[in-house]
Amino acid sequence: MAAQRSSSPLDRLLAGPARRDRITHVESVPARAGRRGRWPAWSPGLLVDRLAAAGVPAPWEHQVSAAEHAHAGRSVIIATGTASGKSLAYLLPAVATIYDESAAREGTVLYLAPTKALAADQLRALRALRLTRVRAATYDGDTPRDERTWVRQHANYVLTNPDMLHRSLLPGHARWSAFLRRLRYVVIDEAHGYRGVFGSHVAQILRRLRRICARYGADPTFVLASATTSEPAAAATRLTGLDVIAVDDDASPRGEATFALWEPPLTDLRGEHGAPVRRTATAEAGDLLADLVVEGVQTLAFVRSRRGAESVALSAKRALHEVTPELAGQVAAYRAGYLPEERRALESALRSRSLVGLASTNALELGVDVSGLDAVLVCGWPGTRASLWQQAGRAGRSGQSALTVLIARDDPLDTFLVHHPEAIFGTPVEATVLDPDNPYVLGPHLCAAASELPLTERDAELFGPATAELLPDLVRRGLLRRRPAGWYWTRRDRATDLADIRGAGGDPVQVVEAGTGRLLGTVDESSAHGTVHEGAVYLHQGESFIVQTLDLDDPVALVEPADPDYSTTARDVTDISIVEPLRSATWGEATLCFGTVEVTQQVVAYQMRRLQTGEMIGEKPLDLPPRTLRTRAVWWTLSADRLEALGDMDVAGAAHAAEHASIGLLPLFATCDRGDIGGVSTALHPDTGLLTVFVYDGHEGGAGFAERGYADAAAWLRATRDAIASCECASGCPSCIQSPKCGNGNDPLDKSGALALLAALLHEAPGPATAP
């Protein structure tokens, strides 16, 4: 039996005197009363009765507003907080169309979720309502072949994902004709997750869906559910290609919440170039999770990686074994890769409170119904404010008070945020960034659309203005054939294979144990050069291997078991050339630009470092081919006169440090992860003849992140300068200018020079509220 709680979970965490210095800010979010609405007159009586029996006596006002828009045929996005009941907003009109006695034909509903787990969770919730006319079924990669036939012929509420829509439902639309003719609603759940290249692909899949629906005489209404996001109507319009109304006034009740920002302490260890080493966020999270479990505070710790989630749970268990052994069994990890029955058992244990502490990846962020938690630990910035509030919303979901602690990693963005709370609490959440007109996204979907139905001139309006420019190129490349009636797909292979909607790149590289032939896993083609090159240390479920050979043609990496006392890091060289500037702004003697660039990257060597100390023990050359990427970038230059006026400094080191820090801070302004972007800096670039710093999208054709950086450049680069200036280190560390992914081994870097460069750059930049 867990001990009784003390007066406050935060008080318990601060019981040790040394910990008080780790809190950089505490924010109190007041409680909010809910505002009920009335059931719409058209609501199915049976559904209202079932919901009342489930504890929903009346809807919240935002649920009614969104449902009324959808029922009237207006596409709508409901963008409200976690646990605000967004599902009821689309459930009402969806069930109403199935139960509509006045309609000539029973309507159908298509529900799209980004993950199979979320669709399965929604199906369970639907079936729990026991609505006999609603024949709901999932249609995904796990659906048996014989069941798929039943779903096509009989289901009127189909739950699937964008991948199945792209690869199965749309290419086989003739078999779905009866369902598509009656399609009334398309529900897009967790719409804020459709961003970047993935979101751009989904935008084109939805345009293909609308085109196929029109072929069968249907014009479905789209209902989108999203976490709180900036400009939800604009984002939904860009995603669907339709005019969408936003409902974002959250009328659900909320308990009082305490939000603490927490920075782990510096240790006595020294890392790269003598930089101080900060205690890891996962070690800190493990301790805090154990302390909360001792107090009986049911806590969910969100960790960015699968390995991290396992590490936090294991650390908490070890700590509990030392003080209260019987509590160690009340802590577990939860992540993708577990069997479905294992995940369901953990969710059930969490709901029954037999499980008090759980360390999870964001698998529990996306809509799986877990309510009644007392506290959430967020181990490292989750990437966006929208995701942060989504995770924090898992605590206090039943209206009670809640605690959230954001634990900073040793990273420029995390460091900046815990010392600038206004960037979290005083700022709206990000806008969702996607670019449906990216030619590398649009081209494959035009081919897929042509294989479904021949393309015509009228389709250019649906697919966007870039269509007219791309079609002749697709004909020239032999992908489409022009005929008087339109453009046709004439090849034997599947057109859908051209579009890699999850953005993994080419065929994945298989990692195979040489002695046994056992397949250990796969690595994305785009990251294989840096992770499974010859000599690389490869980790798999706690086992270590060394790569013997990498065959890029096969593609396979052969590995052998080993237990090295070192890790490996690839070192690469990157060149960038400007293809076409698209926009520019002058800031005195500085110039800011956005445009198309070509990035050539080659892994040339790998370094070996001691596991315990980080000491470099050697470097070995590699012979790998260069990779070329045409993408979009934001870059800035400084005039030679202005640079000379700054005096004697390591110009290359200053630019390199500014580049690293700006990459680290861009995710605060664009909905991207640090791995989505890259950078190059040079004291004298051949295309500009000046000092130039580039930050580019790491996806073919661009993903919209660099464009967002250009639009918010003044605020972004000011935040970059502030992050460097506020770091307590003397000459640079992972919290400000060092990058774990630097291909040059973080050399050269000049912290003071970076501050001088950024000050000169921003001297005549527009004010914080003005975009360049």
Side-chain angles (χ1 to χ4, degrees):
M1 182 79 178
Q4 293 299 309
R5 293 184 208 170
S6 58
S7 57
S8 144
L10 187 57
D11 290 340
R12 173 67 183 95
L13 297 182
L14 297 176
R19 279 186 172 177
R20 293 195 174 271
D21 293 338
R22 304 180 193 182
I23 293 278
T24 61
H25 179 78
V26 176
E27 186 85 7
S28 294
V29 181
R32 178 184 66 204
R35 304 192 309 274
R36 293 283 188 185
R38 294 177 179 274
W39 293 110
W42 46 265
S43 302
L46 180 60
L47 175 61
V48 171
D49 293 342
R50 293 280 195 269
L51 290 170
V56 183
W60 306 116
E61 288 179 359
H62 62 273
Q63 295 171 325
V64 176
S65 177
E68 290 282 20
H69 282 303
H71 185 258
R74 296 183 291 267
S75 291
V76 61
I77 179 169
I78 180 167
T80 53
T82 309
S84 59
K86 292 185 284 288
S87 58
L88 184 59
Y90 56 75
L91 187 65
L92 272 172
V95 172
T97 196
I98 293 172
Y99 275 80
D100 188 358
E101 302 287 355
S102 65
R105 295 178 299 180
E106 170 189 84
T108 61
V109 179
L110 182 66
Y111 169 95
L112 293 177
T115 64
K116 289 187 287 188
L118 180 54
D121 199 62
Q122 285 289 313
L123 179 63
R124 279 191 295 276
L126 261 176
R127 288 179 173 170
L129 292 171
R130 306 189 322 279
L131 302 168
T132 52
R133 288 197 201 174
V134 177
R135 299 183 299 278
T138 54
Y139 185 81
D140 56 34
D142 295 338
T143 308
R145 292 288 170 185
D146 54 341
E147 286 186 26
R148 293 186 184 193
T149 302
W150 184 91
V151 173
R152 285 194 298 268
Q153 294 176 353
H154 302 292
N156 53 20
Y157 198 122
V158 173
L159 302 98
T160 186
N161 52 61
D163 310 76
M164 286 297 285
L165 185 58
H166 166 61
R167 291 191 168 274
S168 179
L169 199 152
L170 291 176
H173 62 84
R175 292 178 295 171
W176 287 88
S177 58
F179 179 87
L180 293 170
R181 280 193 184 94
R182 297 176 289 125
L183 187 59
R184 298 291 179 268
Y185 293 104
V186 177
V187 177
I188 303 174
D189 209 351
E190 302 293 343
H192 59 281
Y194 297 117
R195 56 185 178 83
V197 171
F198 178 49
S200 303
H201 277 292
V202 173
Q204 292 299 347
I205 292 170
L206 295 179
R207 285 156 176 75
R208 285 164 49 203
L209 172 63
R210 290 173 49 210
R211 179 172 176 262
I212 293 296
C213 286
R215 162 70 176 77
Y216 293 104
D219 183 19
T221 298
F222 283 69
V223 186
L224 300 91
S226 169
T228 307
T229 182
S230 179
E231 305 168 12
T237 294
R238 208 167 190 188
L239 183 65
T240 62
L242 296 164
D243 289 334
V244 180
I245 297 166
V247 173
D248 54 7
D249 181 12
D250 193 338
S252 63
R254 181 181 64 197
E256 181 183 9
T258 302
F259 206 124
L261 303 184
W262 188 289
E263 185 174 42
L266 291 170
T267 67
D268 294 332
L269 299 174
R270 287 291 178 266
E272 201 162 37
H273 307 302
V277 174
R278 195 174 293 281
R279 189 167 193 247
T280 66
T282 51
E284 200 83 344
D287 284 355
L288 299 185
L289 182 59
D291 286 351
L292 291 167
V293 169
V294 167
E295 290 296 306
V297 177
Q298 193 178 39
T299 305
L300 179 58
F302 281 107
V303 193
R304 288 175 62 93
S305 69
R306 297 182 184 186
R307 179 182 293 184
E310 298 279 6
S311 175
V312 168
L314 183 60
S315 175
K317 282 175 173 287
R318 285 174 178 161
L320 289 167
H321 268 299
E322 294 179 7
V323 291
T324 322
E326 64 272 18
L327 293 181
Q330 297 184 13
V331 175
Y334 180 106
R335 61 172 176 80
Y338 285 178
L339 296 174
E341 54 267 29
E342 292 176 314
R343 292 200 302 270
R344 300 295 88 81
L346 287 168
E347 292 162 18
S348 176
L350 201 62
R351 292 189 188 102
S352 67
R353 298 186 75 90
S354 60
L355 195 61
V356 181
L358 189 67
S360 172
T361 59
N362 68 353
L364 272 181
E365 178 187 327
L366 294 177
V368 177
D369 184 22
V370 177
S371 55
L373 299 173
D374 304 314
V376 165
L377 304 175
V378 182
C379 185
W381 177 247
T384 64
R385 296 183 198 89
S387 187
L388 179 70
W389 290 113
Q390 185 86 343
Q391 292 181 2
R394 293 288 159 192
R397 300 192 85 198
S398 299
Q400 79 273 30
S401 61
L403 169 68
T404 299
V405 181
L406 171 62
I407 306 166
R409 290 178 303 152
D410 204 4
D411 170 272
L413 181 53
D414 287 41
T415 303
F416 174 83
L417 288 167
V418 294
H419 289 284
H420 294 79
E422 70 280 1
I424 297 175
F425 304 108
T427 307
V429 292
E430 306 85 352
T432 303
V433 177
L434 62 137
D435 180 14
D437 296 326
N438 179 338
Y440 295 91
V441 170
L442 176 57
H445 286 286
L446 290 175
C447 292
S451 72
E452 292 153 6
L453 293 171
L455 286 167
T456 67
E457 299 277 0
R458 293 194 305 275
D459 290 325
E461 183 178 349
L462 174 66
F463 288 106
T467 303
E469 302 172 18
L470 275 176
L471 285 172
D473 182 60
L474 295 173
V475 171
R476 180 185 58 77
R477 292 162 54 194
L479 295 171
L480 296 181
R481 186 170 296 172
R482 179 75 193 268
R483 291 286 182 262
W487 288 264
Y488 289 75
W489 173 258
T490 57
R491 298 171 63 156
R492 293 181 179 230
D493 46 339
R494 290 168 56 94
T496 51
D497 290 342
L498 295 176
D500 176 22
I501 75 169
R502 297 281 178 172
D507 292 335
V509 174
Q510 294 187 316
V511 182
V512 176
E513 188 175 10
T516 64
R518 178 171 61 126
L519 176 64
L520 298 178
T522 59
V523 176
D524 293 344
E525 188 271 341
S526 59
S527 59
H529 289 217
T531 56
V532 288
H533 55 75
E534 184 178 321
V537 175
Y538 179 79
L539 300 177
H540 177 73
Q541 293 186 355
E543 297 180 77
S544 299
F545 300 84
I546 290 182
V547 179
Q548 300 301 310
T549 59
L550 170 61
D551 186 339
L552 293 170
D553 295 324
D554 204 7
V556 64
L558 296 177
V559 304
E560 290 185 354
D563 190 21
D565 63 347
Y566 61 86
S567 63
T568 53
T569 306
R571 189 169 70 78
D572 57 47
V573 293
T574 305
D575 292 319
I576 191 165
S577 59
I578 298 170
V579 177
E580 181 186 13
L582 299 174
R583 271 171 260 164
S584 66
T586 300
W587 295 354
E589 295 189 62
T591 303
L592 181 78
C593 300
F594 168 74
T596 303
V597 298
E598 193 164 85
V599 181
T600 302
Q601 190 174 49
Q602 184 174 19
V603 174
V604 296
Y606 68 95
Q607 298 173 337
M608 297 170 286
R609 296 181 180 275
R610 296 277 183 212
L611 288 174
Q612 298 302 318
T613 64
E615 171 195 2
M616 193 170 82
I617 57 176
E619 179 173 304
K620 293 189 177 181
L622 290 169
D623 183 20
L624 287 167
R627 299 170 54 86
T628 301
L629 174 76
R630 183 167 288 212
T631 184
R632 296 286 175 84
V634 54
W635 65 92
W636 54 267
T637 63
L638 205 58
S639 73
D641 290 344
R642 189 72 182 91
L643 191 60
E644 186 177 352
L646 295 178
D648 188 27
M649 71 161 70
D650 177 359
V651 176
H656 194 196
E659 171 216 325
H660 279 184
S662 61
I663 291 172
L665 269 291
L666 183 55
L668 189 60
F669 297 87
T671 46
C672 65
D673 295 315
R674 186 167 179 159
D676 289 325
I677 50 180
V680 176
S681 56
T682 175
L684 186 68
H685 192 273
D687 292 340
T688 63
L690 299 167
L691 176 145
T692 311
V693 175
F694 296 86
V695 175
Y696 61 85
D697 292 345
H699 300 274
E700 195 74 40
F705 306 135
E707 185 173 15
R708 175 62 63 170
Y710 177 84
D712 291 338
W716 165 41
L717 294 168
R718 282 192 180 95
T720 300
R721 178 197 60 195
D722 292 348
I724 299 172
S726 64
C727 185
E728 58 198 282
C729 72
S731 57
C733 69
S735 294
C736 57
I737 61 172
Q738 290 183 358
S739 168
K741 297 187 176 181
C742 180
N744 293 318
N746 286 303
D747 187 44
L749 290 176
D750 182 350
K751 179 177 178 178
S752 60
L755 288 170
L757 273 186
L758 289 166
L761 170 68
L762 292 163
H763 182 63
E764 295 188 48
T770 307

